[in-house]
Amino acid sequence: MTTPTSTLTGERADLLEALGQQRWFLRHTVRDLTDEQAALRTTASELCLGGLIKHVALIERGWARFAVGGAEAMVRRDEDEPVNWEDHFRMVEGETLAGLLDAYEQVARETDELVATLDLDLSHPLPAEPWFEPGKIWSVRRVIAHLIAETSQHAGHADILRESLDGSKSMG
């Protein structure tokens, strides 16, 4: 089956390939885990593997909203998004690893569609938050580069958590 993203070439294809590779590394860290294992904290932090999957999906959704509609769109919340920021990083009652992976896959498809169709030069001012430079503007291209970096960083976190859990490594 041909999808809009499967026929891409050039910069868009490169961006999606890089993002897809980092998503794969992140998902690979949770292979063969039970829900209980995915919910375990294996380090001093609040992070668990299922929580990282959820967090990356929620953050990617927010940045996709930003790419389309700017800072105001980024802060909009869906009913399925945790109100408590700490719940971004852990599995809460009723969540399953399979459900979190399905939600992440849906977010990834939506983001990929945006990369395939949006003007990569479309730009918006960043939200007024202390961690962003005041007055800074990001293009869709910059947002995708940020998602690649953020997903990569969290894939590294997940690798540490998984190795702490049962000694499994994503690579090596």
Side-chain angles (χ1 to χ4, degrees), residues 88-99:
H88 274 233
F89 299 98
R90 59 181 166 223
M91 291 175 66
V92 297
E93 187 173 332
E95 289 180 328
T96 65
L97 181 57

Side-chain angles (χ1 to χ4, degrees), residues 38-93:
L40 285 175
R41 291 178 45 213
T42 61
T43 66
S45 78
E46 291 294 321
L47 297 175
C48 70
L49 288 161
L52 268 177
I53 297 290
K54 178 171 52 174
H55 171 72
V56 172
L58 291 169
I59 294 302
E60 184 169 321
R61 179 183 289 144
W63 280 112
R65 288 178 182 155
F66 173 86
V68 173
E72 298 79 25
M74 184 180 203
V75 297
R76 192 186 92 231
R77 304 192 77 69
D78 288 338
E79 293 174 12
D80 64 333
E81 291 183 44
V83 175
N84 181 342
W85 180 255
E86 292 173 356
D87 286 347
H88 274 233
F89 299 98
R90 59 181 166 223
M91 291 175 66
V92 297
E93 187 173 332

Side-chain angles (χ1 to χ4, degrees), residues 3 20 23 67-68 82 85 94 112 126 146 162:
T3 64
R23 288 175 181 147
V68 173
W85 180 255
D112 290 354
L126 288 173
H146 177 73
R162 179 63 190 259

